[in-house]
Each structure stands twice: as C-alpha cells, then as structure tokens.
Amino acid sequence: MGDTLIKSVRPVVGAAGDAEDNVTTAEAQAVRRARRLAAREFRVSRAPFALVAALVLFGCGTIAAIEVVSALLGAPARLVPADRWAAGLRGTAWQDGPVRAVAVALVALGAAMALPSLLPRRLPRVMPMRAADPRVAAGVSRQAVRRSLAAATLAVPGIVRARVRMGGRFSGRVSVRATTRYRNPANITDLVEAAVTARLGELDLMDGPPVRVRLRWRKD
C-alpha cells in the first residue's frame, strides 16, 4: 500500500477560536488525504489495455529505430520491405479503395484503443473504510457489505426475505428489497431504512451511500 506524509499542525498561540480552526483544518486535510489514499489503493486497474498498447508502440518504435540506424550505417536491416512499400505508395492516390480501407481500419483501431478509457470502470470489489490513521487504507469487500446489510434487514421484525444491491456504475446508493409477512406494512419501510443506515454507520465506510428500500407485503 502507498504511504502519505502527515504533517502535524501546531495551534497558533492566541485566541481559542484560532486554535480550533487550525485543528479543524488539519482534520479536514487528513480526511482528504485518506480519501485519496483509499481511492488509489482500491481503484480498478486498466493495466491490460495499457500493456497491450505499450507493447504495440514499443515494437513499432523498435523496428523503426533499427531500420533508421542500420540505413545510416550503410547496412539496412530490411526487417520490413520499406522500399517495396514506398514504391507502392508512390503509385497510390488518396481516393483509391485500399487507402480508404486502411484509413478506416486505423480509425477503428484507434477507437478500440481509446474506448476502454471512456467507459466507466467496473465496480471495485473492495469499499474503502475510514481509518484511525489517515496513512492506512482499509477496506471491506462489497459482498461482505451486502451480507451485513441483508442481515440487518432480516433483523427487523416481520421481514422474512431481503435482497441488497450495491450501487452500479452510475448510482452509488444501496437498494434494499424486503418482503414482510404482514398484510399491513405500517412503518416497516422506515424501520428497514433505519436499520440499514445504522449498519452502514457501524461499518464506517469512507463514503456512506444513500439507502432506498422497496417493501413487498401480503395482499391476500
């Protein structure tokens, strides 16, 4: 895990309000550093796409460098048929079919390489938690959070079934679908929401997501 340097802020000798402001500012800075550390440690990597692009560029650059250096030394390596390609290009016009096909293929290749960076990242498996030391990144798995919230929902009197979903790529909220055996739900929805919110507070996540509850009850 990475490390973050924490500088202590000494209260300024003077009014008590100034010292309190300095402490508050230091705490806010520590929280921001902890957020950055957790986001960096638990973010989803796109290393495979970057690795493929780097290997392709490295290979093309290496071949070009070998061709240029060997030609300057008077002994062309001829790893690629550059002379034949150059002769073919001299007799080819921009509007010819092969040129257009290659241009379209290059555009498609560039779009395919850029697309992963434009798409939203898949959800991380670990949700960052607050830590007593802002230099430490702590986390809990999303599956464990779902199980804990489902258990909190089932602990509400009258709830017989619970399903919890964590927020998707565009929504960070917690969706709870609960079923009660009662015909009159009364305030069970509020009780479930309160129980789930309290459990989220106990988990002490870095960013507490909002909670939405959908309740089903007997209508027979």
Side-chain angles (χ1 to χ4, degrees):
M1 292 188 180
D3 197 1
T4 304
L5 178 62
I6 304 299
K7 296 181 179 179
S8 61
V9 178
R10 296 180 180 274
V12 178
V13 177
D18 294 339
E20 292 178 357
D21 291 341
N22 289 334
V23 173
T24 302
T25 302
E27 292 178 350
Q29 292 175 351
V31 170
R32 286 195 294 268
R33 284 192 290 266
R35 286 179 181 274
R36 289 195 296 267
L37 174 62
R40 183 172 64 250
E41 292 295 334
F42 299 122
R43 68 173 178 261
V44 179
S45 174
R46 286 177 173 150
F49 300 102
L51 178 61
V52 171
L55 290 177
V56 172
L57 294 176
F58 177 77
C60 294
T62 301
I63 293 175
I66 292 174
E67 290 288 348
V68 172
V69 173
S70 61
L72 292 176
L73 295 177
R78 302 189 186 281
L79 298 177
V80 294
D83 296 337
R84 182 160 55 87
W85 290 355
L89 291 175
R90 293 190 193 97
T92 304
W94 287 104
Q95 63 270 19
D96 289 350
V99 176
R100 295 182 177 180
V102 172
V104 171
L106 291 176
V107 171
L109 178 61
M113 295 179 65
L115 186 60
S117 63
L118 300 177
L119 294 176
R121 295 177 183 266
R122 63 182 177 87
L123 293 176
R125 296 181 179 179
V126 178
M127 301 183 69
M129 302 171 61
R130 293 187 180 91
D133 188 345
R135 296 170 298 179
V136 177
V140 60
S141 69
R142 301 179 72 87
Q143 184 177 3
V145 173
R146 286 196 299 267
R147 288 199 300 262
S148 180
L149 298 183
T153 303
L154 292 173
V156 176
I159 298 298
V160 295
R161 188 178 305 164
R163 180 181 179 185
V164 178
R165 293 184 60 185
M166 306 301 295
R169 290 189 176 95
F170 303 102
S171 174
R173 63 189 173 191
V174 174
S175 297
V176 180
R177 293 187 177 183
T179 303
T180 178
R181 63 176 182 269
Y182 299 146
R183 291 184 175 87
N184 183 9
N187 64 335
I188 294 182
T189 300
D190 297 333
L191 295 177
V192 171
E193 182 176 350
V196 173
T197 303
R199 182 59 57 85
L200 285 172
E202 295 172 359
L203 294 174
D204 202 18
L205 299 177
M206 183 72 71
D207 295 305
V211 179
R212 184 181 67 175
V213 179
R214 292 183 179 179
L215 184 67
R216 297 181 60 183
W217 62 90
R218 293 179 58 183
K219 297 181 181 179
D220 54 331

